Amino acid sequence: MENGRILLVEDDSTLSFIVKRYLESKEYSVTTAESVQRARDEMQKQSFDLVLLDMMLPDGVGTDVCAYIRRTSFCPIIFMSCLNDKETKLRAFEMGGDDYITKPVDFDELTMRIQANIRREHQYNLGRSTSAEEHYGGLVIRRKSHEVFFEGENEEIGEAIDLSPTEYKLLLAMMDKPGELFLYHELYRTVWDADDLGDSSIVMVHISNLKKKLGETGKTLIRTVRGAGYIFGT
């Protein structure tokens, strides 16, 4: 039984072959692409459950592919790169990436993160039947359409806030437990359904991006407890 369809975007042919063979041994269907253009072509031809994306490609960078995918798809995107600096990770998440793995790849960790992201997306899609419109602290949340708006005067709303899938899921996870301290690893487990393996930077970067997009509302609703986590609520 197939566990999912994966698009592997990697220009190193040897690594691409190894990762493809490994994932196929785990019952995944893997399509490979070695460039930005090839990745776009594959995305146009079929849908995928997850994308594994290198940062440096011969005709561009992985964030270009990520931005292209996010125009039409919410499938999980895991960056798989030799670059490990904070700025690169920040850019990857800003463009809509969900997770980030540093090369050389630990295959046990890769399997865990793939399983967690695909499982999380499936569970997330099951909740789309919820039709209620919720109002909280100046925000309007429509769970059925996965949209978040600022609430204006007379309860009027404008255009949807441009949140990535992960930013939206983090917002909902905290909103469902207002006033509680979410430790970094607890928030990671809640949203990614996996252990953070001691790396809290993924959560921190996503929350930072979320707060920026929510502006003054985000500063009011999401309070940082330095060295611990976050508390959501007015």
Side-chain angles (χ1 to χ4, degrees), residues 43 47-48 51 66 68-77 121 165:
M43 287 298 300
S47 62
F48 295 94
V51 176
C66 186
Y68 175 81
I69 293 172
R70 282 292 171 255
R71 294 173 194 157
T72 58
S73 173
F74 290 108
C75 78
I77 298 174
E121 189 64 20

Side-chain angles (χ1 to χ4, degrees), residues 5 24 27 51 62 66 70 76 86 95 98 102 109 112 152 157 170 174 183 187 193-194 204:
R5 300 181 305 278
E24 288 176 339
E27 305 300 328
V51 176
C66 186
R70 282 292 171 255
K86 181 179 179 181
M95 299 308 293
D98 297 285
T102 304
E109 179 184 355
M112 181 201 74
I157 60 175
L170 283 166
M174 293 186 293
L183 300 177
L187 195 51
D193 195 21
M204 295 171 70

Side-chain angles (χ1 to χ4, degrees), residues 120-132 142-146 168 172:
R120 177 180 59 131
E121 189 64 20
H122 287 169
Q123 293 171 345
Y124 179 58
N125 287 330
L126 289 176
R128 295 184 75 96
S129 60
T130 304
S131 59
R142 293 177 179 170
R143 298 201 185 210
K144 185 175 182 179
S145 60
H146 294 186
Y168 176 81
L172 258 60

Side-chain angles (χ1 to χ4, degrees), residues 132-141 151 155-157 175:
E133 181 174 279
E134 303 170 44
H135 296 250
Y136 196 109
L139 297 178
V140 179
I141 296 91
E151 185 175 67
E155 296 188 354
E156 295 180 354
I157 60 175
M175 193 182 78

Side-chain angles (χ1 to χ4, degrees), residues 140-208:
V140 179
I141 296 91
R142 293 177 179 170
R143 298 201 185 210
K144 185 175 182 179
S145 60
H146 294 186
E147 292 178 301
V148 180
F149 307 84
F150 289 119
E151 185 175 67
E153 296 182 1
N154 301 318
E155 296 188 354
E156 295 180 354
I157 60 175
E159 294 184 1
I161 304 170
D162 184 22
L163 300 183
S164 73
T166 296
E167 291 161 0
Y168 176 81
K169 294 164 193 173
L170 283 166
L171 176 62
L172 258 60
M174 293 186 293
M175 193 182 78
D176 287 341
K177 294 185 178 180
E180 293 188 18
L181 171 62
F182 262 109
L183 300 177
Y184 298 126
H185 73 273
E186 291 174 338
L187 195 51
Y188 190 96
R189 171 163 284 282
T190 299
V191 174
W192 278 266
D193 195 21
D195 292 324
D196 64 1
L197 302 180
D199 183 7
S200 62
S201 64
I202 292 176
V203 169
M204 295 171 70
V205 171
H206 278 298
I207 291 291
S208 176

Side-chain angles (χ1 to χ4, degrees), residues 2-232:
E2 182 181 292
N3 286 327
R5 300 181 305 278
I6 295 176
L7 174 62
L8 170 61
V9 187
E10 170 61 62
D11 67 326
D12 183 325
S13 58
T14 301
L15 179 59
S16 179
F17 176 80
I18 293 172
V19 174
K20 176 179 169 66
R21 288 292 298 272
Y22 172 79
L23 293 177
E24 288 176 339
S25 73
K26 299 295 182 180
E27 305 300 328
Y28 291 99
S29 172
V30 182
T31 299
T32 60
E34 72 286 347
S35 65
V36 172
Q37 186 57 54
R38 181 66 184 275
R40 289 181 176 182
D41 292 342
E42 293 298 339
M43 287 298 300
Q44 290 175 356
K45 289 191 291 186
Q46 59 180 310
S47 62
F48 295 94
D49 296 297
L50 183 137
V51 176
L52 283 176
L53 183 56
D54 189 15
M55 183 61 75
M56 305 304 295
L57 297 165
D59 57 342
V61 290
T63 49
D64 293 338
V65 179
C66 186
Y68 175 81
I69 293 172
R70 282 292 171 255
R71 294 173 194 157
T72 58
S73 173
F74 290 108
C75 78
I77 298 174
I78 301 178
F79 279 86
M80 192 172 65
S81 174
C82 59
L83 302 176
N84 194 32
D85 59 284
K86 181 179 179 181
E87 291 74 18
T88 299
K89 289 184 177 181
L90 179 61
R91 180 62 175 165
F93 294 139
E94 284 178 340
M95 299 308 293
D98 297 285
D99 214 337
Y100 198 105
I101 297 176
T102 304
K103 297 175 183 176
V105 175
D106 180 296
F107 284 102
D108 288 337
E109 179 184 355
L110 177 63
T111 301
M112 181 201 74
R113 291 186 184 270
I114 288 173
Q115 291 174 342
N117 275 275
I118 291 179
R119 181 171 61 247
R120 177 180 59 131
E121 189 64 20
H122 287 169
Q123 293 171 345
Y124 179 58
N125 287 330
L126 289 176
R128 295 184 75 96
S129 60
T130 304
S131 59
E133 181 174 279
E134 303 170 44
H135 296 250
Y136 196 109
L139 297 178
V140 179
I141 296 91
R142 293 177 179 170
R143 298 201 185 210
K144 185 175 182 179
S145 60
H146 294 186
E147 292 178 301
V148 180
F149 307 84
F150 289 119
E151 185 175 67
E153 296 182 1
N154 301 318
E155 296 188 354
E156 295 180 354
I157 60 175
E159 294 184 1
I161 304 170
D162 184 22
L163 300 183
S164 73
T166 296
E167 291 161 0
Y168 176 81
K169 294 164 193 173
L170 283 166
L171 176 62
L172 258 60
M174 293 186 293
M175 193 182 78
D176 287 341
K177 294 185 178 180
E180 293 188 18
L181 171 62
F182 262 109
L183 300 177
Y184 298 126
H185 73 273
E186 291 174 338
L187 195 51
Y188 190 96
R189 171 163 284 282
T190 299
V191 174
W192 278 266
D193 195 21
D195 292 324
D196 64 1
L197 302 180
D199 183 7
S200 62
S201 64
I202 292 176
V203 169
M204 295 171 70
V205 171
H206 278 298
I207 291 291
S208 176
N209 289 338
L210 174 61
K211 292 179 71 172
K212 288 178 183 177
K213 292 181 179 180
L214 297 181
E216 292 301 318
T217 301
K219 294 178 183 179
T220 301
L221 289 178
I222 305 173
R223 179 159 60 91
T224 300
V225 180
R226 189 175 298 276
Y230 306 93
I231 297 175
F232 183 86

